[in-house]
């Protein structure tokens, strides 16, 4: 009975209990507010408020279930690490911060959970303590600090309203609402890594794989989406076209970048970014419940995908390059089966978990009479998702024989057992949730060719991904002839460069000029050194007087004598 096993068991039972209450609250249309007065001072009462409705309870339940599997998986994955106990408590802190953020109807308590997520994620990203991890952690925390500042400003802005409980103002709209909404969208965009804040998400892959599984499925990156879903009542009052454009561009950019990437964890991270863009897009189209539904189904199969990838990386002596992998299916049959199931669920293959949310999202987008640009970007992004997933499966499982001969392939029973529940959820979770969340079946009436169009793009994307592995003419895309195109597409449209050295290079140059002129220049001698110079000259005069006091005395006497006679 290890610490990891007990923690995982406790979280699993808590998650199942939360899910049960969430579905019960949903069926009864019941909302529970809990006010806990923890301090009363001179007629001023300090209260902590919790909001338990079907959305917060189901989300907390899903976070706990996924976290329980990830923590149990970590017992084997982190067994050789000296700081495994510290890792365990950091992950628990991470999960509790997320829970705090989910059940808070108050911006102050949301900030507590939000800041907890940012700080603990920094500690987890730099866990392996090398220069790459430090750089990735710094990029992660500084980008997320922008969102923290946005929430802080929105807290001060809500001083105008009379209460920090945002839940009171969902049905109210006045001229001040636009300022609050812009700040909340900024916070959501930084946490969910939408353009132009996308560069931190693949950089956060420096964390251990169980952390990546947790961060990219149900905690840090989904916090921004969840916050915007909570504020979605205000979006109907403004034109969301610009936010929709940014979300769609994120979805397209991440799908394109994953097709040019060879790092296994980065491909899965970019796939998370693509799905976050999909959630944000449908949210700005006016379907918050559908966005929440896709958030849950995505959490199931993405956590499983990362756990499978973690075991494969573990067996490959920590090599993440998919070109070093191949025919792992004969060595790791169970892991590869789970890997394929989660990949197919990500692609939206019919009757797996991802199909129920993605198909509904695309059909409602088609029925919402948006323009051709939105239409094309959505379908191309769906095709790209299937394309890079097929490419990933072929490279890792069956394509080449590049795997090293000296690897120790072994499927750990602890790692395998933690995948079983997530595999079940990746297959059946979408169907169960769709029946429970949408009490009446959602009927979208479209022409026959539009109904078949998503499936057509799925098969076209799969064929294109297959061709990218095999045919010779596609290798030209990765060659030096098309270097700019492949480099531009594969580097997230140069966003990591803009977020790092291009951002601070000009200011560093300016600061070095200022340092040369002020601190190390005339300012050093006139401002900083003037007290020292004055005291130094004074001490020299005094020392000279003390050392030569007789001659100085005689000289002064003679000088006064001569002057008096003149």
């Amino acid at each position: 009975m290890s610490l990891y096993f007990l923690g995982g068991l406790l979280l699993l039972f808590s998650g199942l209990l939360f899910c049960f209450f969430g579905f019960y609250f949903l069926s009864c249309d019941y909302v529970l507010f809990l006010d806990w007065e923890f301090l009363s001072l001179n007629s001023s009462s300090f209260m902590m408020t919790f909001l338990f409705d079907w959305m917060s309870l189901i989300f907390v339940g899903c976070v706990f279930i996924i976290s329980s599997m990830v923590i149990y998986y970590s017992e084997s994955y982190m067994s050789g690490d000296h700081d495994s106990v510290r890792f365990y408590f950091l992950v628990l802190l991470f999960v509790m911060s997320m829970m705090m953020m989910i059940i808070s109807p108050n911006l102050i308590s949301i900030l507590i959970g939000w800041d907890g997520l940012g700080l603990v994620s920094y500690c987890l990203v730099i866990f392996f303590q090398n220069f790459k991890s430090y750089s990735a952690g710094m990029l992660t925390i500084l980008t997320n600090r922008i969102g923290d500042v946005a929430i802080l400003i929105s807290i001060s802005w809500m001083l105008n309203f009379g209460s920090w409980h945002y839940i009171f103002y969902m049905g109210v709209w006045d001229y001040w609402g636009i300022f609050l909404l812009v700040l909340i969208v900024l916070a959501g965009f930084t946490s969910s890594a939408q353009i132009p804040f996308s560069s931190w998400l693949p950089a956060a892959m420096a964390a251990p794989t169980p952390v990546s599984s947790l961060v990219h499925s149900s905690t840090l990156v989904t916090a921004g989406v969840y916050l915007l879903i909570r504020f979605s009542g205000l979006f109907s009052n403004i034109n969301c076209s610009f936010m929709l454009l940014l979300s769609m561009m994120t979805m397209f950019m991440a799908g394109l970048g994953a097709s040019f990437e060879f790092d296994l964890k980065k491909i899965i991270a970019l796939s998370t970014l693509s799905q976050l863009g999909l959630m944000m897009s449908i949210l700005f189209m006016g379907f918050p419940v559908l966005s929440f539904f896709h958030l849950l189904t995505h959490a199931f199969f993405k956590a499983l995908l990362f756990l499978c990838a973690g075991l494969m990386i573990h067996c490959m002596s920590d090599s993440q390059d998919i070109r070093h992998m191949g025919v792992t299916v004969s060595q790791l049959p169970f892991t590869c089966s789970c890997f394929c199931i989660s990949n197919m669920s990500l692609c939206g293959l019919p009757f797996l978990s991802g199909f129920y949310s993605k198909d509904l999202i695309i059909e409602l987008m088609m029925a919402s009479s948006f323009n051709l640009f939105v239409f094309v970007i959505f379908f191309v992004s769906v095709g790209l998702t299937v394309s890079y997933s097929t490419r990933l499966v072929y490279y890792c499982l069956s394509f080449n024989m590049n795997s090293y001969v000296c690897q120790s392939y072994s499927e750990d029973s602890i790692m395998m057992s933690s995948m079983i529940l997530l595999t079940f959820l990746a297959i059946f979770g979408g169907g169960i949730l769709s029946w429970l969340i949408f009490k009446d079946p959602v009927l979208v009436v479209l022409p026959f060719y539009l109904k078949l169009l998503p499936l057509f793009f799925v098969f076209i994307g799969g064929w294109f991904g297959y061709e990218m592995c095999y045919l010779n003419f596609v290798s030209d895309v990765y060659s030096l002839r098309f270097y700019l195109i492949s480099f531009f597409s594969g580097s997230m449209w140069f966003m990591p460069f803009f977020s790092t050295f291009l951002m601070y290079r000009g200011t560093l140059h300016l600061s070095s000029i200022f340092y040369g002129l002020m601190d190390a220049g005339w300012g050093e001698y006139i401002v900083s050194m003037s007290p020292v110079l004055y005291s130094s000259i004074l001490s020299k005069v005094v020392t000279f007087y003390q050392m030569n006091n007789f001659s100085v005395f005689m000289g002064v006497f003679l000088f006064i004598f001569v002057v008096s006679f003149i």
Side-chain angles (χ1 to χ4, degrees):
M1 296 288 283
S2 68
L3 194 65
Y4 282 89
F5 180 75
L6 284 173
L9 205 61
L10 184 65
L11 279 174
L12 180 61
F13 282 122
S14 309
L16 291 172
L17 196 66
F18 272 111
C19 280
F20 172 76
F21 278 114
F23 293 130
Y24 177 72
F25 278 30
L26 178 61
S27 63
C28 301
D29 199 13
Y30 188 69
V31 179
L32 187 65
F33 269 95
L34 288 182
D35 264 343
W36 170 42
E37 185 179 323
F38 60 89
L39 182 63
S40 183
L41 186 68
N42 294 342
S43 77
S44 295
S45 59
F46 293 87
M47 287 188 182
M48 192 79 192
T49 312
F50 299 113
L51 166 68
F52 294 106
D53 63 345
W54 71 269
M55 192 176 277
S56 61
L57 283 169
I58 291 175
F59 195 23
V60 169
C62 290
V63 168
F64 276 12
I65 289 169
I66 291 168
S67 307
S68 67
M69 294 297 105
V70 168
I71 283 176
Y72 185 50
Y73 174 93
S74 304
E75 181 182 357
S76 173
Y77 193 88
M78 304 299 289
S79 58
D81 200 282
H82 295 299
D83 299 315
S84 58
V85 177
R86 183 181 67 175
F87 176 80
Y88 170 79
F89 284 110
L90 278 172
V91 172
L92 273 187
L93 267 174
F94 199 61
V95 175
M96 291 306 130
S97 300
M98 189 66 192
M99 188 191 81
M100 182 74 186
M101 197 225 125
I102 293 169
I103 61 173
S104 300
N106 186 314
L107 273 178
I108 295 280
S109 47
I110 278 178
L111 184 69
I112 296 170
W114 191 276
D115 256 347
L117 282 172
L119 293 171
V120 179
S121 68
Y122 174 70
C123 296
L124 287 167
V125 169
I126 65 166
F127 188 81
F128 286 138
Q129 298 183 10
N130 51 49
F131 284 112
K132 188 182 175 186
S133 297
Y134 292 150
S135 306
M138 195 53 71
L139 180 59
T140 302
I141 196 167
L142 289 180
T143 310
N144 280 290
R145 287 312 285 172
I146 300 170
D148 298 348
V149 170
I151 289 186
L152 278 168
I153 298 171
S154 60
I155 285 171
S156 60
W157 184 256
M158 283 187 84
L159 286 170
N160 300 319
F161 304 164
S163 170
W164 279 308
H165 285 61
Y166 68 86
I167 213 90
F168 296 161
Y169 303 106
M170 286 300 101
V172 183
W173 183 256
D174 204 347
Y175 67 93
W176 44 260
I178 186 70
F179 300 108
L180 176 65
L181 213 53
V182 165
L183 290 167
I184 295 299
V185 166
L186 179 62
F189 269 38
T190 51
S191 176
S192 294
Q194 302 297 294
I195 287 176
F197 308 109
S198 303
S199 54
W200 73 263
L201 194 71
M205 289 293 97
T209 308
V211 175
S212 306
S213 175
L214 203 55
V215 165
H216 286 253
S217 61
S218 57
T219 49
L220 180 62
V221 295
T222 54
V225 182
Y226 180 77
L227 187 69
L228 292 183
I229 289 170
R230 281 299 192 190
F231 276 87
S232 59
L234 296 176
F235 286 122
S236 56
N237 301 293
I238 63 166
N239 183 4
C240 299
S241 303
F242 181 65
M243 281 91 84
L244 176 62
L245 172 70
L246 289 179
S247 304
M248 288 192 313
M249 286 292 97
T250 306
M251 179 168 61
F252 176 68
M253 177 267 297
L256 194 63
S259 301
F260 287 88
E261 187 60 65
F262 287 100
D263 187 320
L264 177 59
K265 281 176 73 174
K266 276 197 178 171
I267 291 173
I268 306 175
L270 287 167
S271 120
T272 302
L273 192 53
S274 175
Q275 299 307 303
L276 287 170
L278 184 63
M279 292 172 212
M280 287 284 195
S281 303
I282 202 67
L283 172 63
F284 290 126
M285 286 180 184
F287 302 102
V289 177
L290 188 53
S291 177
F292 180 70
F293 176 40
H294 186 58
L295 192 152
L296 294 181
T297 55
H298 168 260
F300 297 143
F301 60 73
K302 191 49 62 74
L304 177 62
L305 196 58
F306 263 111
L307 295 189
C308 297
L311 181 53
M312 287 159 70
I313 291 167
H314 217 50
C315 291
M316 293 297 300
S317 304
D318 300 327
S319 168
Q320 297 181 16
D321 198 322
I322 59 174
R323 290 167 294 192
H324 293 166
M325 299 179 188
V327 294
T328 49
V329 69
S330 58
Q331 311 290 338
L332 310 168
F334 180 80
T335 306
C336 291
S337 306
C338 296
F339 188 75
C340 284
I341 288 168
S342 52
N343 253 318
M344 288 188 287
S345 187
L346 167 66
C347 296
L349 209 72
F351 312 115
L352 289 177
S353 198
F355 166 76
Y356 291 93
S357 52
K358 288 186 85 169
D359 197 60
L360 195 54
I361 284 172
I362 290 170
E363 288 188 354
L364 284 172
M365 181 274 298
M366 287 191 281
S368 297
S369 65
F370 278 90
N371 58 25
L372 183 66
F373 179 74
V374 176
F375 197 87
V376 169
I377 289 289
F378 256 81
F379 277 104
V380 169
S381 301
V382 166
L384 282 170
T385 302
V386 188
S387 171
Y388 65 70
S389 300
T390 311
R391 175 173 169 262
L392 189 60
V393 167
Y394 260 86
Y395 262 103
C396 295
L397 270 57
S398 63
F399 168 55
N400 50 25
M401 299 287 283
N402 289 347
S403 54
Y404 297 139
V405 291
C406 54
Q407 304 302 338
S408 57
Y409 292 102
S410 62
E411 289 188 312
D412 197 319
S413 59
I414 292 176
M415 290 186 179
M416 285 165 64
S417 54
S418 61
M419 292 175 199
I420 292 170
L421 179 62
L422 289 175
T423 308
F424 176 81
L425 290 171
I427 298 171
F428 301 110
I432 295 166
L433 284 170
S434 67
W435 281 109
L436 289 166
I437 291 177
F438 305 107
K439 296 170 195 168
D440 309 315
V442 181
L443 180 66
V444 184
V445 181
L446 291 168
F448 182 67
Y449 70 92
L450 283 182
K451 275 284 187 184
L452 285 182
L453 205 55
L455 209 57
F456 173 73
F457 268 88
V458 164
F459 285 119
I460 285 289
W463 171 80
F464 187 66
Y466 177 83
E467 296 293 339
M468 285 178 77
C469 294
Y470 273 98
L471 284 187
N472 291 328
F473 74 85
V474 182
S475 62
D476 287 345
V477 178
Y478 299 101
S479 70
L480 289 174
R481 266 196 293 172
F482 297 99
Y483 182 70
L484 183 62
I485 296 170
S486 60
F487 186 58
F488 175 72
S489 306
S491 64
M492 296 173 65
W493 297 353
F494 302 146
M495 225 173 298
F497 305 109
F498 283 111
S499 302
T500 51
F501 64 86
L502 284 178
M503 185 75 76
Y504 58 71
R505 189 172 62 176
T507 50
L508 274 181
H509 182 60
L510 193 65
S511 62
S512 71
I513 292 171
F514 281 153
Y515 175 76
L517 288 176
M518 299 292 296
D519 285 359
W522 57 268
E524 174 78 17
Y525 295 103
I526 292 179
V527 180
S528 304
M529 298 284 288
S530 55
V532 180
L533 286 170
Y534 173 72
S535 56
S536 173
I537 291 167
L538 196 63
S539 63
K540 281 179 182 176
V541 169
V542 170
T543 307
F544 178 77
Y545 181 72
Q546 286 174 343
M547 296 294 289
N548 304 285
N549 52 359
F550 183 73
S551 55
V552 168
F553 177 74
M554 286 303 295
V556 169
F557 173 74
L558 286 172
F559 177 72
I560 294 169
F561 185 75
V562 169
V563 167
S564 61
F565 267 101
I566 292 171

